[in-house]
């Protein structure tokens, strides 16, 4: 495949897919929570650009509303909420030492290759955009799960969970040329509710043990037994 022979929309979507996958990979190696949140916000901004580009290229005007909701929630509100929690806990200077950091990064690279390997057979029956959109979406979902497994901080777990939703959202926008408006509003509402619940969850943890380390929560659970 020669990307130079593709139309502008295809080239732009393929570039966005590569950048979205790169941001998920970068989140794996972030030890500072503020940097992790920044990369997550950057991924949300890329999703906003992808949605707006799809709306413009396909003349699908309701996708502009979806782009605006993505910008408000995933670029502004959720990163602001997570950053606020990190600053309130005075964790912005903490560096999380990842266990087997090299193995985690190698595992992330392997998951990206695995995603393309699993979905490669569909290239014969679908477009280049479909293949790359689904492969990147699957890799983002898998990398989000790996992020939740490899990091101890609850904030990183929230970012991993939201990153999984980003992967599914990217596939829905690109592969289906936009979901029905009612579905997009429902997804945006679910993300907003989840963000609010995570904020309440962080507040209760902060007032009880003054830490967002999942390992400390597990030790408290063992003591209660």
């Amino acid at each position: 495949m020669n990307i130079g022979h593709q139309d502008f929309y295809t080239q732009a979507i393929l570039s966005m897919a590569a950048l979205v996958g790169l941001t998920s990979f970068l989140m794996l190696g972030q030890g500072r929570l503020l940097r992790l949140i920044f990369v997550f916000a950057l991924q949300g901004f890329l999703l906003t650009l992808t949605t707006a580009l799809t709306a413009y290229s396909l003349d699908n005007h309701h996708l502009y509303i979806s782009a605006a909701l993505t910008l408000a929630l995933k670029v502004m509100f959720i990163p602001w909420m997570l950053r606020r929690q990190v600053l309130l806990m005075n964790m912005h200077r903490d560096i999380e030492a990842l266990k087997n950091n090299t193995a985690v990064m190698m595992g992330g690279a392997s998951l990206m290759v695995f995603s393309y390997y699993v979905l490669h057979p569909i290239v014969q029956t679908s477009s280049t955009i479909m293949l790359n959109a689904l492969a990147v979406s699957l890799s983002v979902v898998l990398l989000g799960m790996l992020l939740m497994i490899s990091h101890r901080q609850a904030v990183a777990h929230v970012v991993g969970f939201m990153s999984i939703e980003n992967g599914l959202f990217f596939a829905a926008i690109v592969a289906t040329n936009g979901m029905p408006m009612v579905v997009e509003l429902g997804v945006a509402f679910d993300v907003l509710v989840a963000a609010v619940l995570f904020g309440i969850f962080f507040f209760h943890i902060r007032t009880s043990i003054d830490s967002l380390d999942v390992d400390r929560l597990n030790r408290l659970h063992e003591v209660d037994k």
Side-chain angles (χ1 to χ4, degrees):
M1 179 191 68
N2 189 347
I3 191 173
H5 295 163
Q6 303 293 328
D7 58 88
F8 171 76
Y9 174 68
T10 301
Q11 293 182 27
I13 291 299
L14 292 178
S15 300
M16 289 296 174
L19 292 174
V20 169
L22 178 62
T23 52
S24 284
F25 187 75
L26 290 176
M27 282 191 280
L28 282 178
Q30 297 301 321
R32 291 185 181 273
L33 292 177
L34 291 183
R35 290 181 183 176
L36 176 64
I37 296 170
F38 173 78
V39 178
F40 170 74
L42 178 60
Q43 186 179 74
F45 182 70
L46 292 173
L47 290 177
T48 301
L49 292 180
T50 302
T51 307
L53 178 63
T54 303
Y56 175 78
S57 300
L58 302 179
D59 197 25
N60 195 344
H61 297 293
H62 82 267
L63 286 180
Y64 287 116
I65 300 177
S66 180
L69 290 174
T70 302
L71 180 66
L73 290 177
K74 299 180 181 179
V75 182
M76 297 180 181
F77 177 70
I78 295 177
W80 169 81
M81 182 197 71
L82 295 176
R83 178 183 174 84
R84 180 173 178 270
Q85 293 296 329
V86 170
L87 294 177
L88 287 174
M89 297 290 295
N90 198 25
M91 299 166 57
H92 56 285
R93 292 188 177 89
D94 295 346
I95 300 178
E96 181 179 359
L98 302 178
K99 297 180 180 179
N100 300 321
N101 189 29
T102 303
V104 171
M105 300 303 290
M106 290 296 296
S110 300
L111 289 176
M112 297 190 75
V113 174
F114 172 77
S115 300
Y116 274 90
Y117 175 78
V118 169
L119 295 172
H120 186 267
I122 71 172
V123 72
Q124 299 177 356
T125 58
S126 61
S127 65
T128 302
I129 289 182
M130 178 71 75
L131 169 67
N132 286 274
L134 294 180
V136 168
S137 298
L138 178 59
S139 65
V140 170
V141 170
L142 295 177
L143 291 175
M145 294 179 180
L146 182 59
L147 176 66
M148 297 174 69
I149 295 173
S150 59
H151 286 65
R152 300 194 312 270
Q153 296 293 339
V155 173
H157 288 200
V158 173
V159 171
F161 175 80
M162 292 296 178
S163 178
I164 293 174
E165 195 278 331
N166 285 346
L168 299 176
F169 181 81
F170 183 81
I173 291 297
V174 177
T176 66
N177 296 330
M179 300 173 289
M181 188 62 196
V182 63
V183 177
E184 294 176 12
L185 292 176
V187 171
F189 179 75
D190 289 342
V191 171
L192 178 61
V193 170
V196 173
L197 291 177
F198 282 130
I200 297 173
F201 173 68
F202 288 156
F203 173 77
H204 284 288
I205 294 178
R206 180 164 55 87
T207 55
S208 58
I209 65 174
D210 197 33
S211 175
L212 294 178
D213 193 322
V214 178
D215 288 345
R216 291 191 62 182
L217 296 178
N218 291 333
R219 287 195 293 269
L220 287 176
H221 179 68
E222 293 173 357
V223 170
D224 290 339
K225 289 184 177 180

